Amino acid sequence: MNLEDFLAYIILPILSTSTLLVFIRFLMGPSLSDRVVSLDLLITIGISIIAVYSIVTNRPSFLDIAMIFALIAFLSTVAFSYYLEKRKKNE
């Protein structure tokens, strides 16, 4: 079993299953914070799927897209935590 077979037959099904489970948590999350964390995890799983696709197709240009998604996910999480802190101080 080479790397491409391992990624296609083992890693991608695991990532697909985890995407489904995290999306269910996103829909059923009891609080806004849970939904934001699950959305951040969905973006992280998407980044890993892009990285796997980049390795399988031997196109390193997709890693730039994954890096941009990671920056956007990080900044959105920081912005949301800042919003929650401001909201707690006003209550």
Side-chain angles (χ1 to χ4, degrees):
M1 177 179 272
N2 58 7
L3 179 65
E4 286 82 17
D5 291 339
F6 179 73
L7 291 173
Y9 297 124
I10 295 175
I11 300 299
L12 282 179
I14 290 172
L15 289 173
S16 301
T17 305
S18 63
T19 301
L20 180 67
L21 293 173
V22 171
F23 189 72
I24 290 171
R25 173 49 60 192
F26 176 72
L27 293 176
M28 296 175 51
S31 69
L32 186 61
S33 299
D34 293 330
R35 288 191 171 115
V36 169
V37 169
S38 64
L39 184 64
D40 189 39
L41 187 56
L42 277 173
I43 294 172
T44 304
I45 293 169
I47 291 167
S48 60
I49 289 173
I50 291 171
V52 167
Y53 183 75
S54 172
I55 292 170
V56 169
T57 60
N58 198 18
R59 295 174 125 182
S61 60
F62 284 118
L63 294 177
D64 295 335
I65 296 169
M67 189 169 45
I68 290 170
F69 280 162
L71 284 170
I72 291 171
F74 173 74
L75 289 175
S76 64
T77 304
V78 168
F80 181 73
S81 63
Y82 180 75
Y83 165 73
L84 281 181
E85 280 295 317
K86 288 293 184 180
R87 195 171 97 181
K88 280 185 181 178
K89 287 182 181 179
N90 289 337
E91 289 180 356

